[in-house]
């Protein structure tokens, strides 16, 4: 990357290539930041939906409260790279989508994914099917469908609350151009908070 020079009446002198490189760097750093934020709330058996090449599952696994992370993605190339780069005793990467998951998990991590789903309510079906009691979910907090061909929806906080109506939001964070929300299941009859158990 070229150096940015400061010249001429405090204006930044920069070229197109450097701007493109910096923009790509920011996008990568923001992806890492979202996972580093989510990591502090993860515990037990964690499901990372749309894990991509696995860097986020790896970051989550570094939390000592996490026993195992299963990263799912429907892209075979991404799963192959995840297995090559980040698999460990604590992390397993699986080729598949949310409709194929049927194991019990404590926490769902779903970052920058829901806006890609043809039917976002499949995530609610997933948490019910897998007995998930806590959700960490993020989505763009601005309109993106007009410039990102892969985004089907411009999701809002209200949409998320309606999708997960049996959950209560206990934390919300705006991180740059994303909203991250933490949810816990309202009905807690068979729910014991595993992070506090020995």
């Amino acid at each position: 990357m070229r150096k940015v020079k400061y010249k001429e009446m405090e204006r930044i002198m920069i070229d197109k290539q450097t701007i493109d490189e910096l923009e790509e760097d920011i996008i990568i750093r923001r992806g890492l930041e979202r996972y580093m934020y989510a990591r502090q709330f993860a515990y037990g058996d964690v499901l990372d939906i749309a894990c991509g090449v696995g860097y986020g599952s790896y970051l989550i696994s570094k939390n000592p409260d996490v026993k195992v992370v299963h990263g799912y993605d429907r892209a075979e190339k991404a799963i192959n790279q995840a297995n090559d780069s980040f698999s460990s005793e604590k992390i397993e990467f699986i080729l598949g989508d949310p409709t194929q998951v049927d194991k019990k998990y404590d926490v769902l991590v779903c970052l920058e994914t829901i806006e890609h789903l043809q039917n976002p309510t499949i995530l609610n079906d997933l948490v019910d099917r897998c007995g998930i009691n806590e959700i960490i979910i993020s989505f763009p907090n601005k309109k993106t469908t007009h410039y990102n061909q892969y985004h089907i929806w411009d999701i809002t906080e209200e949409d998320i609350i309606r999708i997960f109506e049996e959950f209560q939001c206990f934390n919300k964070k705006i991180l740059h151009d994303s909203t991250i929300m933490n949810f816990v299941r309202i009905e807690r009859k068979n729910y014991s908070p595993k992070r506090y158990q020995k």
Side-chain angles (χ1 to χ4, degrees), residues 94-132:
I94 302 155
L95 182 63
D97 66 48
T99 63
Q100 298 169 311
V101 182
D102 63 358
K103 184 185 179 303
K104 172 116 174 66
Y105 292 96
D106 298 302
V107 179
L108 169 66
V109 174
C110 181
L111 304 182
E112 305 299 296
T113 299
I114 194 165
E115 66 275 10
H116 296 263
L117 299 175
Q118 194 68 244
N119 179 6
T121 63
I122 66 170
L123 292 177
N124 189 56
D125 298 339
L126 167 70
V127 296
D128 285 345
R129 188 172 63 249
C130 295
I132 293 170

Side-chain angles (χ1 to χ4, degrees), residues 11-192:
R11 289 183 176 87
I12 297 173
M13 305 302 288
I14 193 168
D15 61 29
K16 182 179 172 184
Q17 179 183 345
T18 304
I19 286 178
D20 290 342
E21 290 169 357
L22 288 169
E23 182 180 32
E24 185 69 23
D25 182 64
I26 289 168
I27 289 168
I28 291 167
R29 287 174 187 269
R30 287 184 178 174
L32 294 172
E33 273 186 274
R34 284 189 289 270
Y35 271 103
M36 289 187 300
Y37 172 82
R39 170 175 61 192
Q40 67 186 311
F41 300 100
Y43 66 93
D45 293 350
V46 178
L47 173 60
D48 182 13
I49 283 292
C51 66
V53 298
Y55 66 87
S57 298
Y58 168 71
L59 286 170
I60 289 169
S61 77
K62 292 172 77 174
N63 178 336
D65 294 328
V66 171
K67 289 195 312 190
V68 67
V69 180
H70 287 166
Y72 274 78
D73 202 284
R74 64 182 185 179
E76 186 174 4
K77 184 176 180 181
I79 288 296
N80 290 340
Q81 185 173 341
N83 278 315
D84 290 345
S85 301
F86 297 108
S87 71
S88 71
E89 292 177 10
K90 207 171 174 181
I91 310 169
E92 182 180 351
F93 296 105
I94 302 155
L95 182 63
D97 66 48
T99 63
Q100 298 169 311
V101 182
D102 63 358
K103 184 185 179 303
K104 172 116 174 66
Y105 292 96
D106 298 302
V107 179
L108 169 66
V109 174
C110 181
L111 304 182
E112 305 299 296
T113 299
I114 194 165
E115 66 275 10
H116 296 263
L117 299 175
Q118 194 68 244
N119 179 6
T121 63
I122 66 170
L123 292 177
N124 189 56
D125 298 339
L126 167 70
V127 296
D128 285 345
R129 188 172 63 249
C130 295
I132 293 170
N133 287 308
E134 293 194 27
I135 302 167
I136 306 162
I137 189 165
S138 77
F139 51 93
N141 58 21
K142 62 182 182 180
K143 181 173 174 53
T144 59
T145 53
H146 64 293
Y147 69 85
N148 188 324
Q149 64 179 339
Y150 302 107
H151 290 189
I152 299 169
W153 308 103
D154 290 314
I155 298 287
T156 65
E157 291 177 30
E158 183 63 31
D159 293 327
I160 301 296
I161 289 167
R162 288 181 186 213
I163 289 169
F164 299 109
E165 58 187 20
E166 292 181 14
F167 288 77
Q168 180 177 345
C169 180
F170 69 88
N171 195 27
K172 178 182 83 168
K173 181 170 181 68
I174 306 298
L175 194 60
H176 306 293
D177 55 2
S178 293
T179 298
I180 304 178
M181 298 176 79
N182 299 68
F183 287 87
V184 64
R185 191 176 291 277
I186 296 168
E187 177 57 60
R188 299 182 178 113
K189 283 183 185 172
N190 297 318
Y191 172 51
S192 55

